[in-house]
Every structure is written in structure tokens, then in C-alpha cells.
Amino acid sequence: MDSNYIVCHNISDVKSAISYENNSFDVRIESKLPETTKTEKCILGIDEAGRGPVLGPMVYGTSYCSVDNQDILKSLGCADSKVLSELARDEIFDGITKQSEILGWAVHIISPTTISNCSFRRQKCSLNEISHNAAIGLIQRVLDKGVNICEVFVDTVGPPDKYQEKLLSIFPQLKITVSKKADSLFPIVSAASICAKVTRDAALKNWKFIERPGEDIDSNWGSGYPNDPVTKEYLKKNIDPVFGFPSIVRFSWSTAELVLKNNAAQIDWSDEEEDEDKKSLPITSFFGQNNKQVHQKTPFFDDRGLIITTKF
């Protein structure tokens, strides 16, 4: 079994895995492999939770089962996770884990640190690209485990046509459908959405603040979305003037950047190489300006006290 993935059998296992790991890094969790999915034709869904908030991870989820067993998804009540209550999502996820002989799932918890680093590095990686890579990684993971996937359904990020074309170029052997609101159109995507949302909720509730180990940390951060007044107030109250926010915050979000600008110490990061360059004369200074020729004496003339007496 790949050590990058932690096998979990229920929500308690998921919470334990999240609590054990360092939240500054990505975490990957999966169910045990249903043996029937190796031989029977299967469908797979992809969706995410937590794309927009300034707080917490973004979680990508996948769910898969055989074509013949997909009716179980409707009987479990799989629907768009955003229209379900937290209790309903937890109950459905519990039902999914109990159908481990025919239903498989996996999640990729993308940490706020990863999201911020991708935005701040020299060659920036957009949130869309992060999302695409996570989805591709989950599909490849399930294929590598030997699941007989024949059709994939994905909730779009960006233009559906371009995203679908991109996925088909990577997985030409699969039939892939990328669409808007896929989580409300395809039960298999709804199941993936629920897995992602339940995992994100668990991550927030079990967040380890490595900045203040052992301390009780204020968790009244509201919805986590940038336009939430409670979230904005949380950012203002939990900022260090030098080190900024705890690792639960996405530093790269404009809301967080504005709070940093107004409440943190402003630091000028000087570059020694740039300072040295400023002292150096530009190469253009050695050429004449305004078509006037500039004559500069060499050390040979200076050493011998020679001067120019004739101008040509």
C-alpha cells in the first residue's frame, strides 16, 4: 500500500488521521479497495469542497463503484453536499463507509500552506491548476489500484470544454464528462462531494495549531469565506505583527493580504545583489550621448602625464 495514502474505514478514522498529521502539509486518505471494482465496469466521480474560503484546506474527493451498483448511491441519499445539513452529510458518509464492499472513495486534503506557496512562488500555480492536478491525481490513484474505470464524471473548474479536453488528453481510454453542477446531476459526483465536505469539516474541527501547541485557540471564524464579517474579525484578532497568521489561513487571499498590510509590521526585504547593481555603472554610460563622442583616458596616459593636444 502506498505510504502517501492513509486507509480509513469510518469518520472516526478520518478524524484521527487528520489530528495525527501536520496540517501544514497535504494529507491523502482512502477507503479499502472493493474487490468487485477490479472486474466490473465502474464509474467514478470527482468534486471538491472549500475552494473559496480564506481559512482551511481545499479538499478534493472521489467516489467510485460498479455501474451495476450505482443505485445504492440514491438509496443512501447522495445529493449535492451544499444543500445538505452537516448531520445529513455525516450520515450519508457513514453509509458510504459501511458499503465498503461495493463503494470506494478517496480524498486529497490540500493545505492552506500549499495553496499559498503555489501563489507566491516565482512560477505561480493558479487555484484552477491546483484543482486540476488534484483531480488528475485521484483518477490516476484509482486506476493504479486496478479499478476497472470506464466512465468519469467531474464537476468543472473553469470552462468545462477545455477541462474535459485536458482530462481526455491524459486519460484517452476513459469516457469523461465535465460539467457545471455535476454534483447535482450525477449521484457518483454527489458522493464525492460529500466525502470532500465531511473531510474538510473534520479537518477544521480537528485543526492542530502548530504555532501554539497545547493552547486553546479561538475557533470562532464563521464560515471562513472572505466576505463574512466574523471571518474578517477573526483574521484581525489572530495576527502576529511579524509572523502573520496561523497556518490555517491562506496568506495569498486578498482578504488576508489586506489585513496583513493594515495590521502587521511592514518589512523591506533588501536584496544585496540589487544593491550592488545600483552602485555599478550601466553599460550605456560608456557610450556617447546626444551623438557627442566621449573621450576617456586610459591608465597608460595618466601614468606618463600625457594629455591630448589635438582634436580631430
Side-chain angles (χ1 to χ4, degrees):
M1 185 62 65
D2 190 332
S3 60
N4 288 331
Y5 277 81
I6 303 169
V7 177
C8 292
H9 301 92
N10 49 52
I11 186 61
S12 296
D13 288 349
V14 172
K15 291 177 180 179
S16 297
I18 293 170
S19 299
Y20 178 77
E21 295 295 322
N22 185 335
N23 298 132
S24 298
F25 300 96
D26 291 8
V27 179
R28 294 172 175 84
I29 298 172
E30 65 184 356
S31 67
K32 76 170 188 176
L33 177 67
E35 291 299 322
T36 56
T37 59
K38 288 185 176 181
T39 54
E40 301 177 10
K41 289 185 177 181
C42 295
I43 56 174
L44 178 146
I46 295 279
D47 200 8
E48 54 77 25
R51 177 178 169 84
V54 66
L55 297 173
M58 177 170 68
V59 180
Y60 255 80
T62 185
S63 182
Y64 55 93
C65 69
S66 71
V67 175
D68 294 337
N69 288 324
Q70 60 181 314
D71 287 343
I72 190 67
L73 299 169
K74 293 181 180 179
S75 67
L76 288 171
C78 292
D80 179 5
S81 66
K82 291 184 286 293
V83 302
L84 297 171
S85 67
E86 183 176 350
L87 178 61
R89 290 192 299 266
D90 288 347
E91 290 177 348
I92 295 172
F93 182 73
D94 184 58
I96 291 173
T97 59
K98 288 179 178 177
Q99 297 291 335
S100 58
E101 297 302 319
I102 57 176
L103 282 177
W105 58 273
V107 292
H108 178 183
I109 305 173
I110 306 169
S111 75
T113 302
T114 295
I115 295 172
S116 297
N117 287 347
C118 286
S119 298
F120 288 141
R121 68 189 189 188
R122 183 163 295 179
Q123 286 188 323
K124 292 186 177 182
C125 180
S126 70
L127 193 62
N128 279 5
E129 190 173 352
I130 295 172
S131 300
H132 291 177
N133 291 342
I136 292 166
L138 286 171
I139 296 172
Q140 190 61 60
R141 172 63 179 175
V142 175
L143 289 172
D144 289 345
K145 293 182 72 176
V147 178
N148 185 24
I149 299 296
C150 64
E151 192 165 6
V152 174
F153 301 91
V154 183
D155 193 57
T156 193
V157 172
D161 294 342
K162 291 185 178 180
Y163 190 10
Q164 182 169 305
E165 184 179 347
K166 179 179 181 178
L167 291 176
L168 284 170
S169 68
I170 299 171
F171 305 106
Q173 77 278 22
L174 301 177
K175 181 180 179 182
I176 300 177
T177 300
V178 178
S179 70
K180 297 179 180 179
K181 300 186 182 302
D183 47 358
S184 60
L185 297 174
F186 308 105
I188 194 67
V189 180
S190 302
S193 175
I194 290 167
C195 292
K197 181 60 176 171
V198 169
T199 301
R200 174 175 155 81
D201 289 345
L204 289 172
K205 289 180 179 179
N206 295 274
W207 195 268
K208 288 173 60 179
F209 287 86
I210 57 175
E211 301 85 2
R212 301 174 188 172
E215 292 185 29
D216 290 330
I217 305 298
D218 177 19
S219 60
N220 183 27
W221 47 61
S223 67
Y225 281 88
N227 60 351
D228 185 342
V230 178
T231 301
K232 290 181 179 179
E233 187 62 25
Y234 176 85
L235 293 175
K236 293 177 182 178
K237 288 169 59 179
N238 291 273
I239 183 172
D240 184 282
V242 176
F243 299 105
F245 301 110
S247 59
I248 197 172
V249 178
R250 303 178 189 178
F251 279 62
S252 56
W253 255 230
S254 59
T255 305
E257 289 182 338
L258 183 60
V259 174
L260 280 171
K261 182 179 180 181
N262 294 332
N263 298 276
Q266 299 301 308
I267 302 174
D268 181 19
W269 299 98
S270 62
D271 190 321
E272 291 184 1
E273 291 185 2
E274 288 185 2
D275 292 342
E276 289 297 325
D277 290 340
K278 290 179 181 178
K279 297 177 183 178
S280 303
L281 292 174
I283 191 170
T284 53
S285 66
F286 295 97
F287 298 93
Q289 297 179 358
N290 300 325
N291 296 322
K292 294 181 180 179
Q293 189 174 5
V294 178
H295 296 280
Q296 292 184 341
K297 292 191 294 182
T298 66
F300 176 86
F301 291 91
D302 284 334
D303 294 343
R304 291 161 178 78
L306 301 177
I307 60 172
I308 298 175
T309 58
T310 305
K311 294 185 177 179
F312 296 95

